[in-house]
Amino acid sequence: MRDIITVPLAEDALIIACDNSGAIGMKEQDLVHVPYETVAYYSFRVAVMECIAAGGQPISVVLQNFCGNEPWKELVRGIEKGVNELGLQDVFITGSTESNFSMLQSAVGLLVVGRKVLDKKTELLFSDHLKLAIIGLPLMGNEVIAQHDQIVPLSVFQKINNLKDVMIWPVGSKGILSELNQIFVNKRFAADRISSDVDLLKSSGPATCCIVVYSDDQDENIRSIAGRFFHSIELVF
């Protein structure tokens, strides 16, 4: 099950996706020191990828800021950076700041609300005719900054998501294998039955990579769009 809530409406539905981060920012006791624009950008990435993958067209972002008043504009710039990369229009940003008390470490929560406009598959039966791939590498913490050129770009994610009969699944902190075991309703995977040059158990932090499930006739398209971010998964029977 994806990390989203689907709220049925009269003619369509709302998709609500979220992310949070803690001890990442510019406070002295933060464990990872990066600008607040970067913090918000990667939190937005996680939530917006979940929203889009579930068939949602993002319409609003809600920011919960526990970093203090000063970083607000920088946090908003991080969200706007992601919005612009996706070419989204009419996405409204709102939120709130905890200004009564100062925390020793940075903390941010973020919601992306989307209107479901595509009939994306949310359940899939495993078949030998399906192919699997990883786009990007699983990274976390300071690796996200040091190896940013290995992170799947939002534009690549969006292009693959728009392909017909393709399921795309962002990978979170529990790693690729955990996400694989949530995709199919009739299949469980074991690490020793999967061959890949990517670490299947490593945290993917702020959705630095994603899983793609597709039919053989889409193989050329996906490899072309993904380019150097493409990593194959082979199942060992």
Side-chain angles (χ1 to χ4, degrees):
M1 181 179 295
R2 295 190 187 277
D3 297 329
I4 60 160
I5 293 176
T6 301
V7 182
L9 301 176
E11 297 181 355
D12 48 20
L14 291 180
I15 304 292
I16 303 173
C18 64
D19 185 62
N20 59 66
S21 66
I24 304 173
M26 297 301 294
K27 290 181 180 288
E28 182 179 352
Q29 295 192 34
D30 285 338
L31 300 181
V32 178
H33 289 96
V34 293
Y36 286 113
E37 180 175 336
T38 301
V39 175
Y41 171 75
Y42 281 104
S43 276
F44 174 75
R45 266 183 61 103
V46 174
V48 82
M49 288 169 74
E50 289 285 0
C51 179
I52 291 172
Q57 175 68 28
I59 57 175
S60 183
V61 181
V62 183
L63 172 64
Q64 291 100 38
N65 169 32
F66 299 91
C67 305
N69 286 316
E70 294 76 14
W72 176 263
K73 290 184 178 180
E74 195 175 352
L75 290 165
V76 170
R77 284 201 302 270
I79 296 169
E80 291 174 339
K81 177 182 176 181
V83 168
N84 292 334
E85 284 183 16
L86 290 165
L88 300 175
Q89 302 294 323
D90 300 323
V91 174
F92 301 96
I93 302 171
T94 186
S96 179
T97 294
E98 170 54 75
S99 56
N100 290 316
F101 301 98
S102 178
M103 297 176 62
L104 297 178
Q105 292 178 306
S106 301
V108 169
L110 189 143
L111 293 174
V112 171
V113 180
R115 187 174 294 275
K116 188 169 185 178
V117 293
L118 300 174
D119 186 20
K120 297 288 289 184
K121 294 179 180 179
T122 56
E123 289 190 350
L124 188 64
L125 293 176
F126 178 77
S127 165
D128 293 342
H129 301 293
L130 293 174
K131 299 177 76 72
L132 301 171
I134 301 297
I135 313 299
L137 288 180
L139 303 170
M140 65 172 292
N142 287 310
E143 293 175 336
V144 175
I145 306 304
Q147 301 179 55
H148 63 90
D149 57 340
Q150 299 298 324
I151 297 172
V152 55
L154 286 176
S155 58
V156 170
F157 173 87
Q158 187 179 47
K159 288 177 182 177
I160 293 175
N161 180 74
N162 289 339
L163 294 174
K164 186 179 180 181
D165 297 327
V166 170
M167 175 180 277
I168 194 162
W169 194 284
V171 178
S173 59
K174 293 182 180 179
I176 294 166
L177 183 62
S178 175
E179 301 288 1
L180 275 174
N181 282 321
Q182 298 181 64
I183 294 176
F184 300 101
V185 297
N186 65 330
K187 178 70 174 178
R188 296 287 295 178
F189 298 91
D192 61 355
R193 296 293 181 179
I194 302 174
S195 175
S196 178
D197 64 347
V198 179
D199 189 339
L200 302 176
L201 303 179
K202 184 178 179 183
S203 169
S204 183
T208 59
C209 69
C210 57
I211 300 167
V212 183
V213 183
Y214 58 98
S215 57
D216 189 63
D217 61 352
Q218 288 284 18
D219 188 65
E220 185 176 346
N221 283 337
I222 290 174
R223 288 177 182 268
S224 176
I225 293 171
R228 64 183 179 84
F229 300 101
F230 184 93
H231 302 271
S232 62
I233 295 178
E234 300 293 337
L235 303 181
V236 181
F237 297 100

